Amino acid sequence: NNLALAEVREQRGFFNCGWAEHPVLQGQRDKEVEAMDVQIVINELNKLLALEYAGVIQNLQHSFMVQDIWREVYADYFRDNSQDCLNHAKRLGEKIVALGGGPAIQPTPIKQSTDLNEMLQQNLELERSAFSAYKAAYEKVKDDSCAS
């Protein structure tokens, strides 16, 4: 469980890295940004939004379903993760609208369990999916990003 928690925390840190400050993601539209296909960026952001929606629901559901002695320890953990996902979803939705798009309304598939180890595994899988999606989105915009 500690390894899974450490990996989730490490991947969560990626969401706060500098790529999110990309001019397109900040809603800026200058000549350099106009060259980028904004619809591709919107599509990628909507994929991320669907994953974040799933994170909100799945983590909240796990906070309700965690049982026994683990409830006191993990219910807040899952609620905090749900809130993190909600914050990411809000930011993504705002960026999508700023780019002239419409935010996705459907989450990716949501898993549930009453077994703590399975819950943590499900969340780790979701985090890995989100991490891969964020990396893929970055790969599509990195050539147009501002100088590091």
Side-chain angles (χ1 to χ4, degrees):
N1 289 350
N2 287 340
L3 180 59
L5 289 174
E7 187 172 344
V8 167
R9 286 187 185 118
E10 179 180 322
Q11 290 184 358
R12 280 251 167 241
F14 177 82
F15 300 141
N16 298 320
C17 70
W19 84 268
E21 303 308 317
H22 186 283
V24 168
L25 301 180
Q26 293 299 314
Q28 300 170 9
R29 291 182 178 230
D30 57 22
K31 290 180 183 179
E32 181 180 328
V33 172
E34 287 297 327
M36 177 184 287
D37 186 351
V38 175
Q39 189 57 50
I40 290 173
V41 175
I42 291 170
N43 292 344
E44 291 301 309
L45 293 177
N46 267 317
K47 290 176 191 175
L48 298 172
L49 184 57
L51 285 161
E52 295 295 353
Y53 285 158
V56 171
I57 298 166
Q58 183 170 300
N59 277 287
L60 193 57
Q61 180 70 7
H62 287 340
S63 78
F64 300 147
M65 298 298 294
V66 68
Q67 302 173 4
D68 302 323
I69 62 171
W70 300 114
R71 181 165 185 72
E72 188 174 335
V73 176
Y74 283 98
D76 285 342
Y77 167 77
F78 289 126
R79 282 188 195 103
D80 290 346
N81 280 346
S82 179
Q83 186 62 51
D84 287 346
C85 292
L86 179 60
N87 291 337
H88 295 152
K90 288 177 185 176
R91 188 170 182 185
L92 288 164
E94 292 295 329
K95 299 307 174 190
I96 291 165
V97 171
L99 292 171
I105 58 171
Q106 293 293 322
T108 59
I110 298 161
K111 298 179 181 177
Q112 62 181 0
S113 177
T114 57
D115 178 75
L116 177 62
N117 286 328
E118 195 171 316
M119 288 177 184
L120 292 170
Q121 186 61 41
Q122 290 169 347
N123 279 16
L124 183 57
E125 289 170 12
L126 184 58
E127 289 290 338
R128 285 178 175 159
S129 295
F131 184 75
S132 293
Y134 273 89
K135 282 176 60 174
Y138 172 76
E139 289 299 318
K140 290 190 178 185
V141 299
K142 75 177 183 178
D143 293 334
D144 292 314
S145 64
C146 45
S148 304

